[in-house]
Amino acid sequence: MKKKLLEKGIWTACLAAGMAVGVHFCAAAAVLPDGLRVGEQELGGLSREEADQKIEEYVNNLPDQKISIQVGDQTLETTSKAMGLFWSNRDAVDEVVSGLTEGNLLRRYMAQTDLKQEGAQLQVETAVDQAAMTAFLTEQCSGMEGGPKNASITRQNGEFVITPSEKGVTVDIEATVQAVNEAVAAGLDEPVTAEAAVTEAEPEITTEMLSTIKDVLGTYTTDFSSSSSARAKNLEGGSAKLNGHVLMPGETLSGYECLQPFTRANGYEPAASYENGQVVDSIGGGVCQLSTTMYNMALEAELEITQRQNHSMIVTYVDPSRDAAIAGTYKDLKITNNYSTPIYIEAYTSGRKLTFTCYGQETRPENREVEYISETLSRIDPGAPIERVNNSLAPGTRRKVSSGHVGIKSRLWKVVKVDGVETERTLLHTDTYNASKSVYEVGPAAPAQTPPVTETVPQTTAPAETQAPQPSEGVGGGPGIGLTGPSGSGGGGTQPGQEAQTVPTAPQSTLTAPAPAETAAPSPAEEAPSGTVTGAKPPEADSSPAPAAGQ
C-alpha cells in the first residue's frame, strides 16, 4: 500500500511539473524564442507582427543594386529599387515561425531548445515586382524586336556592296522576369546580371549567301547603233528595270513581269515592233532586244531556260535561233537559277550597246568551254514587194513603208569541249521565221491629158490625208498590241519615215483637137500599175493573231 502511494505520488509530481513547464511554455509562446535572426536583426522576444516589421526593414535596407539584362548583343540596365524589390518568401518564413510558436508543445519545446543552443538564420528572399519589370522590358525591347531582315546587294563602280542581314528577335517577357528574379534571389551583395529569354529567327537571305557572288558566269552584248532615239530610250529604261535582280537557287525571273506595263507613264516610247508579218509602232518597241540579250547571257552562264520563243520574223542583232521575243503574256523569256548559290543580273546600256552579265559562284571546270552554233537549214524568198495606193501622195510618188524579210528555218546547237576536245553536242531548239514582203505606198496615177475647153472646170478638193493611227498602250498595249491601220514605220534595219521618192512624169501639152486619153507613163521596175499590188497578202507572224513582238 505504501509502495502504491509512492508511485502515485511520483506520477502526480511529474504531472504537476509538466503542467508547470507547459504553463510557462504557453506563456512564452506569444513571442519568438531567442537565437532567431534575419540578417543582423535579432528576432527573439518579438511578436509575430513585430518580427514581420523587422524583416520588412531588413528588405528595405538592402542595397539598391544594379540589375543588368543581356538581350542579344545589347545590355539593359536598371536597379532593384526601381523594379519594386519586395520580400518574396513570406510564406516560407511564416511556416518556420509557426513551428516555433504554434502546434505540438513537445515539438515546440525541442525546437526552441535547439534554437537556444545553436541559433538560426532565417533565409529571407527578395524579388522584383513583375508588373514593373514587364513594363520596363516591354519599353526597352520594343526597338529591338522585329522580324528578320534579308541581306541585299548592289553593284557600284564595278564593285559589289552588301547590306548585311539581321536576325529577327522576339523577347519572352514573362520568362525574362523569371530569370531576373532567380538572379535577385541569389543575393544582392553584388550587381545582378541575367540573360533575357530571346527567340531568334534567321533571315532567308544572309550576308554569307550573297558573299558568294563574285565570278562572271556569263555575259553578252548586242548593238543598237542604228536604232531610233525612241527605241534607244526603251532599251535604256528597260535595262534599268532588269538590272540588280538577285535569284536565289531555284528562283525564276520573267522578262515580261519585270518590264511591264508598256506605257508612257512607265517610261516607254512608241517604236517598231513585229505584228502579223508586218512592222508596226507600239509602246515599248525594241524590248525584245532586252530579252534576246538576256537569253544569250543565260546561255553563256548555262542557266535553266524555263520559257523562250523566237520572233515571227528574223532580227538582225543576233544570229538565227539566238533570239527571244516578248509579246504580252503570249511570248516571254523566263530563266531559272540552277546553281546552289545566288546569282546577280547586271544590265546596262553604254555607247549604243546593250550588255547583260550574270554573276555568281563559278563551279564549272576551267578546262571546259561551251559554244553555241546557229545553223540555217533553209531560206524562203519573200517575193515581189506590195504596193498600196495612197491618194494623199503626189502622183508618181513611191515611198517604202517597211522592208521585206527573208524567211528562215534554223536551229541552235550547244557544243561542250573539254581540253579542246568536243565531248557533247546538244540540239536546243529549231525555229521558223516567216518571210515578209516589202511594202510601198504609191501616189495615184497621173490624170489623163484632155484638150482645152472654154467651160470653167470646178476645182476639185484633194483627198484628205489619211490620219496615221496611234500606237496603243496600257494593260493590253506595248509589244503585243500594234496599229489597226496602215503602218507608218519601217523595220528590220530600215528606218521608218524615209523620204518619198518622186518619179518625174512627161510634161502636159495643149492639143487643138480632142484626143483619146493617154496611158500613164511607165513606173520604175519595182512598181506595178497604179492601184494594184504585186503580191498576195503577206503571211501573218503566227498561226493566229498574236501580240506584236518588240523586235
Side-chain angles (χ1 to χ4, degrees), residues 11-319:
W11 181 86
T12 303
C14 289
L15 178 60
M19 291 180 65
V21 171
V23 171
H24 175 76
F25 195 80
C26 288
V31 297
L32 294 178
D34 294 336
L36 186 63
R37 296 183 302 276
V38 55
E40 300 298 327
Q41 299 291 327
E42 174 64 46
L43 302 180
L46 300 178
S47 66
R48 289 284 298 274
E49 292 75 12
E50 292 171 336
D52 285 350
Q53 292 177 1
K54 284 288 185 182
I55 295 174
E56 291 286 2
E57 291 177 6
Y58 166 78
V59 172
N60 292 335
N61 290 329
L62 288 173
D64 188 13
Q65 198 59 266
K66 182 174 73 173
I67 299 177
S68 300
I69 306 170
Q70 198 69 29
V71 184
D73 57 356
Q74 299 190 44
T75 302
L76 306 181
E77 292 187 348
T78 184
T79 64
S80 57
K81 295 293 179 66
M83 292 297 102
L85 187 73
F86 70 98
W87 174 18
S88 62
N89 69 333
R90 182 184 295 270
D91 291 343
V93 172
D94 283 347
E95 184 178 351
V96 173
V97 172
S98 295
L100 297 173
T101 60
E102 299 174 5
N104 184 277
L105 295 177
L106 185 58
R107 290 179 181 174
R108 288 161 51 193
Y109 175 76
M110 295 174 62
Q112 289 190 14
T113 300
D114 293 338
L115 187 62
K116 289 180 180 180
Q117 293 176 355
E118 301 175 6
Q121 182 76 29
L122 278 178
Q123 296 298 322
V124 175
E125 296 181 0
T126 56
V128 296
D129 180 70
Q130 179 149 350
M133 179 58 74
T134 297
F136 171 77
L137 290 173
T138 301
E139 179 183 357
Q140 295 297 316
C141 296
S142 60
M144 303 179 191
E145 292 188 299
K149 295 182 180 179
N150 288 333
S152 61
I153 185 170
T154 58
R155 189 163 174 82
Q156 302 174 10
N157 302 319
E159 299 290 337
F160 284 111
V161 178
I162 297 177
T163 301
S165 57
E166 296 181 11
K167 294 181 180 180
V169 175
T170 302
V171 179
D172 187 332
I173 300 295
E174 184 176 351
T176 302
V177 172
Q178 182 178 349
V180 171
N181 278 330
E182 289 176 356
V184 169
L188 294 174
D189 294 335
E190 301 289 338
V192 177
T193 59
E195 287 282 343
V198 174
T199 300
E200 293 185 342
E202 292 290 338
E204 294 181 358
I205 303 175
T206 66
T207 305
E208 293 72 24
M209 292 176 183
L210 297 187
S211 297
T212 63
I213 299 176
K214 55 182 181 298
D215 303 319
V216 174
L217 303 180
T219 186
Y220 202 82
T221 298
T222 57
D223 184 273
F224 61 95
S225 55
S226 62
S227 294
S228 66
S229 59
R231 188 176 187 275
K233 181 180 178 181
N234 291 342
L235 293 179
E236 180 180 357
S239 64
K241 299 179 193 301
L242 290 163
N243 181 56
H245 276 273
V246 174
L247 296 183
M248 300 303 290
E251 287 187 344
T252 298
L253 181 144
S254 162
Y256 173 78
E257 292 298 331
C258 293
L259 296 170
Q260 61 91 32
F262 298 103
T263 61
R264 287 181 173 88
N266 200 27
Y268 293 108
E269 298 290 340
S273 299
Y274 287 157
E275 181 189 343
N276 295 330
Q278 296 296 314
V279 178
V280 300
D281 264 359
S282 60
I283 305 297
V287 297
C288 284
Q289 187 162 349
L290 292 164
S291 57
T292 292
T293 309
M294 185 166 69
Y295 172 60
N296 282 272
M297 172 213 73
L299 290 177
E300 298 298 329
E302 296 186 84
L303 301 176
E304 178 184 342
I305 310 300
T306 308
Q307 180 180 348
R308 172 262 173 195
Q309 289 102 348
N310 62 293
H311 288 78
S312 59
M313 296 183 292
I314 203 72
V315 296
T316 59
Y317 42 82
V318 290
D319 293 334

